[in-house]
Amino acid sequence: MVAWRLPPFSPVDRLLELTYRAEQSHFWFRGFRQYMQPALARATAGVADPRILDCGCGTGSNLEMLRPYGRAVGFDLTGIGPAFARDHGHRVAQASIAQIPFASGSFDLVTSFDVFQCLPDPVERDAISEIARVLKPGGWLLLHVAALEVLHGRHSVLSAEVRRYTPERLRMITERGGFRIERLTFDHASLLPIMLPVRMWHRWAANDGKVEAGEAEITVPAAPINAALTALVSLEALALRAINMPIGSSLMCLAQKAG
């Protein structure tokens, strides 16, 4: 198993500070929460008092999203993330996803939102194995990851992305971990026409081909723009209840552990 640690103050710490300011009102996060709701309802349906673990819980905002579905706890590799979360009354540990600090077979649902794209390859493999270990037989995994390398840009550098996923890679690592995939779909498709030219410009304008970190995309836009884009992702959330998206800036995977 690979030991994985961040530097004392990493770009991810800065990202978490910015995320903490934005995630309640930013249109991207509003859409994300709406996209996840049907999968969370599916994974906890019929389970009495579900136990939920959020891997890489960041500032703890996603624990608020999980709270209506069961008893949710989390952990994060950073120091700043758990500090934010504890300030808001959440039970959060500081730990690595490669060494999850919970007993085997402890949880009905494990989630990991926009973490896997930051994991080095050996840690990615360990993470899936560890998630499978802490899930009960028949338990559920809900993953959300960044998609499509063509969308690599300044935000990708800020968040220390190692890769952006294709459906094929996400399917491969999930099934290799012993899971049966129930749903695999792109999301944030409605934002792709906006994101693609911006990210392409980031690469075109890079000095010596090296894209620099940028914070603009994690900043809440002016209220009219934020409201319009919130309406756009909300419409997509309604569509996602009925169909899978053929393309988008992120991927969502809901899978069940054997047994």
Side-chain angles (χ1 to χ4, degrees):
M1 187 166 291
V2 177
W4 185 47
R5 297 290 183 270
L6 290 171
F9 188 87
S10 72
V12 177
D13 289 307
R14 175 60 177 164
L15 178 65
L16 285 174
E17 287 187 9
L18 296 167
T19 300
Y20 182 72
R21 300 172 193 170
E23 57 195 346
Q24 298 307 315
S25 59
H26 194 289
F27 63 87
W28 190 96
F29 294 99
R30 288 175 170 174
F32 162 76
R33 289 191 287 268
Q34 292 179 64
Y35 300 156
M36 295 302 107
Q37 287 170 1
L40 293 170
R42 170 71 180 96
T44 55
V47 181
D49 193 23
R51 293 196 66 200
I52 305 172
L53 174 65
D54 188 26
C55 302
C57 64
T59 65
S61 177
N62 290 330
L63 293 172
E64 289 289 339
M65 176 180 69
L66 296 171
R67 183 172 281 172
Y69 299 95
R71 288 183 291 154
V73 297
F75 66 87
D76 198 82
L77 185 64
T78 68
I80 193 171
F84 280 131
R86 292 189 195 108
D87 285 346
H88 288 78
H90 297 295
R91 294 177 56 199
V92 177
Q94 184 176 6
S96 168
I97 197 170
Q99 295 175 308
I100 297 177
F102 293 95
S104 300
S106 298
F107 296 95
D108 301 286
L109 168 63
V110 173
T111 61
S112 186
F113 302 127
D114 295 284
V115 172
F116 267 66
Q117 63 257 27
C118 303
L119 303 180
D121 287 355
V123 179
E124 179 194 50
R125 292 191 294 270
D126 286 345
I128 285 288
S129 297
E130 279 288 272
I131 288 171
R133 179 185 64 79
V134 299
L135 271 172
K136 298 175 182 178
W140 292 87
L141 165 64
L142 179 58
L143 287 177
H144 191 261
V145 298
L148 306 179
E149 284 295 339
V150 71
L151 294 176
H152 179 85
R154 292 175 182 171
H155 183 77
S156 305
V157 179
L158 178 66
S159 56
E161 288 177 3
V162 174
R163 74 186 70 78
R164 298 183 69 92
Y165 281 84
T166 63
E168 292 75 21
R169 178 167 184 138
L170 189 55
R171 178 179 294 279
M172 178 192 70
I173 66 162
T174 305
E175 291 181 341
R176 186 175 61 197
F179 291 92
R180 176 190 62 81
I181 293 176
E182 178 165 294
R183 190 175 191 199
L184 177 59
T185 179
F186 285 99
D187 60 58
H188 286 99
S190 55
L191 300 180
L192 195 59
I194 302 169
M195 292 180 64
L196 182 58
V198 170
R199 299 290 177 88
M200 291 179 68
W201 180 80
H202 288 172
R203 296 195 301 278
W204 179 82
N207 293 323
D208 300 323
K210 184 179 180 181
V211 178
E212 300 293 333
E215 300 179 357
E217 291 180 53
I218 197 67
T219 303
V220 180
I225 297 172
N226 197 52
L229 292 175
T230 296
L232 186 64
V233 295
S234 296
L235 287 173
E236 181 180 344
L238 290 174
L240 267 172
R241 291 177 178 268
I243 61 172
N244 287 338
M245 292 295 163
I247 197 166
S249 65
S250 300
L251 281 161
M252 176 183 69
C253 179
L254 179 64
Q256 189 173 30
K257 179 179 172 179

